[in-house]
Amino acid sequence: MTATAYDVAVAARAELGEGPTWDPARERLIWVDILSSRVHTYDPATGRRTVRATGQHVGAAKPRAGGGLVLNLRDGIGLVDPGPEGAFRWLHRDPVPGRRGNDAAVAPDGSLWAGTMRYDEAPGGGTLSRFTGDGAAEPFLTDVTVSNGTGWSPDGRRMYYVDTPTRRIDVFDVLDGGRQAVNRRPLAQVEEGAGYPDGLTVDADGCVWVALWDGGAVRRYTPDGVLDRVVTLPVPRATACAFGGAGLSDLYVTTARTGLTAPHPLAGSLLVVPDAGSGLPQPAFAG
C-alpha cells in the first residue's frame, strides 16, 4: 500500500535533520540537526519549540529516566541535566579524529546503543557500542561504515540494525537480558535505485519502518521482511522516523537538505504522517 498523506510539523532548514524521538514524560518530540549542532524539541499540542546548541556535531538525543537528555556527540556520550539551562557533562568521552557520533537508540533495558561513522564514510570506520547508565562502554560492532537505525521488537527478543551502505535491514536475536545480540542475518534488502536505508522505528505490530535516504519515502516491513507499506514524501532525503503524539499514532519523519544542489522547499523540515499506525513506548536512558 502506498500513501502520500503528510503534514509539515516544523518548517525548518535543517542541514541534516535526524533521530526523532517521542518523550512521553514531557509529551514532546526530540530531534537533532547533526551538522548544525542543534537539539530541537517540538510540542505538537501547543506548537512550542526549543533549540539547544551542543557545541559539536550531535548524532542523536534521547530522554533520560531522571529527566534531561543523553547525547551521541562527535567526541562521545554526553548528559544534559533537566531544565532549559541544564548543565552538560561527559558520560563517556572518546574522541577519534575524523569520526563522529551518528544515530543511537535506547534498548528495553535502558542501555544506549550508539553508532559512529567517519566523516569521509570510509568503509569499516564506524562502530556500534552499548553504554550503560554508569558510562561503561561495551563495543558490539567495530567494522561498520555508516551506523544508523537501531530498534527492538515488541517482546525485546529481536534487534534490528542498519549499516546504510549495505542497503540492508539486519536482524539479531537478543540474549542475556538485552546485553547480547547474536545471529545477524538480513531481514530486508532495499533494491538498487530505491535509496538507502537510514533511521528506523518498530511499531506495536512488530513491523519495521525505515526512512530512505535518496529514496523520498518511508517503508514498512513485516517481521518476516515483507514490504507492505510505502509512504512517499516530497523530499528525497528522509533520514529517520518515529511514532509520537498522545496516542503514538502519528509518524514523524526528519529530513535533510545537505548535498542537494536545488533543495525542495521542505527539505530539512520535520514532517508528520497522521494516524500512520501504532507505535511502541520508547524507554528512557537509565543514566
Side-chain angles (χ1 to χ4, degrees), residues 174-269:
V174 176
L175 304 175
D176 193 20
R179 293 176 58 91
Q180 300 294 325
V182 299
N183 191 24
R184 183 177 185 175
R185 58 207 183 271
L187 175 78
Q189 180 89 33
V190 176
E191 67 274 16
E192 189 80 25
Y196 294 84
D198 200 326
L200 64 78
T201 192
V202 182
D203 67 20
D205 296 322
C207 296
V208 180
W209 298 71
V210 62
L212 296 183
W213 176 272
D214 282 344
V218 175
R219 288 183 171 186
R220 188 178 87 155
Y221 292 90
T222 70
D224 295 326
V226 176
L227 174 62
D228 76 338
R229 192 172 303 178
V230 179
V231 178
T232 59
L233 300 170
V235 296
R237 295 192 162 169
T239 58
C241 53
F243 284 95
L248 293 179
S249 62
D250 300 331
L251 186 73
Y252 288 89
V253 185
T254 47
T255 67
R257 59 192 297 110
T258 184
L260 297 175
T261 55
H264 186 281
L266 292 179
S269 293

Side-chain angles (χ1 to χ4, degrees), residues 44-59:
T46 65
R48 183 175 184 270
R49 298 163 52 189
T50 69
V51 181
R52 179 186 175 109
T54 59
Q56 59 177 251
H57 291 161
V58 54

Side-chain angles (χ1 to χ4, degrees), residues 12-203:
R13 295 173 63 87
E15 284 298 307
L16 185 51
E18 261 284 6
T21 302
W22 183 251
D23 179 0
R26 301 191 65 180
E27 298 184 333
R28 63 179 183 172
L29 193 87
I30 303 165
W31 58 289
V32 302
D33 182 352
I34 295 177
L35 299 181
S36 296
S37 305
R38 298 286 189 273
V39 175
H40 296 258
T41 70
Y42 166 65
D43 181 340
T46 65
R48 183 175 184 270
R49 298 163 52 189
T50 69
V51 181
R52 179 186 175 109
T54 59
Q56 59 177 251
H57 291 161
V58 54
K62 307 296 177 182
R64 294 166 58 197
L69 300 171
V70 59
L71 308 178
N72 191 20
L73 294 159
R74 182 193 65 201
D75 293 343
I77 307 300
L79 299 178
V80 176
D81 288 338
E85 305 298 326
F88 171 85
R89 65 185 182 278
W90 288 104
L91 178 70
H92 182 94
R93 191 169 186 271
D94 180 28
V96 175
R99 193 185 78 178
R100 67 167 175 84
N102 204 43
D103 207 351
V106 178
D109 68 355
S111 61
L112 180 75
W113 292 65
T116 66
M117 59 175 285
R118 289 194 58 82
Y119 282 97
D120 61 6
E121 300 186 15
T127 62
L128 178 67
S129 299
R130 177 180 182 268
F131 294 89
T132 57
D134 60 4
E138 301 172 359
F140 178 64
L141 299 175
T142 58
D143 60 349
V144 301
T145 301
V146 180
S147 187
N148 251 314
T150 308
W152 288 263
S153 61
D155 62 8
R157 298 174 63 181
R158 283 178 146 202
M159 185 179 86
Y160 301 99
Y161 178 68
V162 167
D163 180 3
T164 292
T166 67
R167 292 185 182 270
R168 295 194 315 267
I169 304 168
D170 288 341
V171 57
F172 297 78
D173 297 319
V174 176
L175 304 175
D176 193 20
R179 293 176 58 91
Q180 300 294 325
V182 299
N183 191 24
R184 183 177 185 175
R185 58 207 183 271
L187 175 78
Q189 180 89 33
V190 176
E191 67 274 16
E192 189 80 25
Y196 294 84
D198 200 326
L200 64 78
T201 192
V202 182
D203 67 20

